Amino acid sequence: MKRSKLGPWLAIVIGAIYFLVPLIGTFEFSLRMRRGEYSFDAYRIVLGDPQFQATFAYSTCLALATILVGALLVVPTAYWIRLRLPGLRPVVEFITLLPLVIPAIVLVFGYLRIYNSSSWLPLTASDRATDLLLTFSYVTLALPYMYRAVDTGLRAIDVRTLTEAAESLGAGWPTILFRVIFPNVRVAVLSGAFLTFAIVIGEFTMASLLDRPAFGPYLQLIGANRAYEPSALAIIAFIVTWACMGLIQVFGRGARMAAETR
Amino acid sequence: MAFLEIKDLRKAFGPLSVVQNFELAVEGGEFVSFLGPSGCGKTTTLRMVAGFEQPSAGTIRINGRDVTGLRPNQRNVGMVFQSYALFPNMTVAENVGFGLKVARRPAAEIGARVEEMLRLIKLPTLAGRYPYQLSGGQQQRVALARALAIKPQVLLLDEPLSALDAKIRVALREEIRSVQRKLGITTIYVTHDQEEALSMSDRIVVMNEGRVEQIGTPFEIYNYPRTRFVASFVGTLNILRARVTDAGQRRIAIDGQEIVARRGLDGTASGELRAVALRPEAVSLSDPGGERNRLQGTIEDVSFLGSVVRIRVRFKENAISLDTFNNPGLAPPEPGREVTVTFAYDDVLVLEGEAS
Ligand SMILES: Nc1ncnc2c1ncn2[C@@H]1O[C@H](COP(=O)(O)OP(=O)(O)OP(=O)(O)O)[C@@H](O)[C@H]1O
Ligand SMILES: [Mg+2]
């Protein structure tokens, strides 16, 4: 009895060491800016840096736009596939997985070839247009997570019967989508949204190659030129990501509890 | 002209023909049930009336208007589903008011109508609850209110009670019927429960393998089934093989014993083999005398069902079941005894088609 419990604990301890030691090390290092004592100086400098604020705000805006576009693209698609084209589900699932398989750098070179300033759709010609292109590429990157989250959410409701009930009550497609389907997959869309946010905030390749002032390239710039600030930034990025994960848990639990009382 | 007219309706899924030559005329305010075994096309027919399924051929008219090509949201038809299908994100009041809100009615009108509907289904205090806070029976009543709130021309119900337990089923059955009478709404009710169909309907459409077997009042369907299928599906009929001995004198023979059959012998010739139906409750072990059919046989089996004792009597090839009331002062008869069973001339139903 005692011995059988030792194994799992050992695994947990090894796992914890594997994840926590670098984290604690980074955190400890980030506090060492002042010689001889621990301080939050590095954090103060980072948070006070106007470039940090600008890039973080930029990436946040882009993340929100990505979430909006992603949700408006994925929810109707996943809904339609479930309702009318269930045979296409494996195909669509495969397509949504492609961004995980194809490296971001390949994608972005593709974009640059298709949308360069001498092409028929010169999306890289102006900053605003490039922002648009960057948003769309983020939508692509977040597609696997968003699609899976929404599809799981749709599985929990009887899409077909709810649609038919709404139809027989006189509702058209926009009403069905926005009054019936969206509200019932809200939790799923939110968890997809937090994952999207975490991805966009840390993304480097696309923002860098499209030459936009995003948070990812800023992280890289600081990392290459400073000593203590990168560690502070890494910890901040961790906190943001973990906050997103935590929010998924909170909302997910709320949904589960509602489902259990059903 | 009838209020709801279905003409030569057909539906095929690929090579599979699911509904064939379906003809039905429903009067305004009538309650019609579709009754039949699983897979016979009841739901498919109902869904074509609702507009969820496009017919392969045929027309559907509601109140004189051809709706065959209209989308479901243009038909003004109320639908109640087996799985309730309430919108989980909306309260009871929002669910009931959904159709009116979609139609952009003023808020005051919606509020009044929702209240009226909730009073009609006797749940006036549950307006603020969410569907998951309701029992199955309550959810189905809300679904009924939601379908009725838009004042549909036709109400369609697809096995609305089959997910509920027996007691609520009977109570809700009566409630649906009384609401339907009160509003005078034309209704089609799909069920595979014959008791439900018999107790609720003005008329019953018995379906089998995509075809209409018989349309009639519950009384007609139960007492005078026209086909072997209807006879065996509705109630617990005895089906016997008989040979027509004298078509003119209306005489037939069952395992060599001759009897008189008053109904259904027109157009038959002597010597033909036909299926004959007899209700268990029409057959008696006692002989009141007079003009009656009499058959001699042996008791094969006796089963005690509580208030009723079901006795099986065998002739040769054929056997019948008959019901007698339980009498505490009298032990049920023993298997093996020779008996004579009697039944009226009118109770013999000669069915359509050759005996198999
Ligand atoms: N979308 C579809 N594609 C192919 N076949 C279908 C489809 N819908 C129904 N069918 C077939 O049509 C036949 C009739 O189905 P339907 O649902 O109308 O039966 P039902 O009488 O309502 O049965 P139940 O009492 O089990 O609900 C069945 O054999 C079914 O397999
Ligand atoms: Mg059905």
Side-chain angles (χ1 to χ4, degrees), chain B residues 38-39 41-44 82 158-159 190 192:
Chain B
S38 187
K42 309 180 293 287
T43 299
T44 307
Q82 182 180 348
D158 190 358
E159 307 201 19
V190 164
H192 57 237

Side-chain angles (χ1 to χ4, degrees), chain A residues 84 157-158 160-162 164-173 175 179-180 183-184 258 261-262, chain B residues 47 52-53 71-73 77 79 81 83 85-90 98-99 101-102 132 146-147 150:
Chain A
R84 287 290 147 84
I157 58 174
D158 186 349
R160 185 166 137 154
T161 318
L162 287 184
E164 287 176 353
E167 255 187 310
S168 72
L169 292 167
W173 287 116
T175 313
R179 294 244 188 94
V180 178
N184 283 309
T261 46
R262 201 156 289 183
Chain B
R47 289 170 59 80
F52 300 132
E53 221 62 84
R71 295 208 44 77
N73 55 5
V77 160
M79 181 92 187
F81 300 85
S83 57
L86 294 179
F87 305 125
N89 57 312
M90 299 181 202
F98 182 83
K101 200 163 173 197
V102 166
Y132 69 85
R146 180 179 68 176
I150 56 168

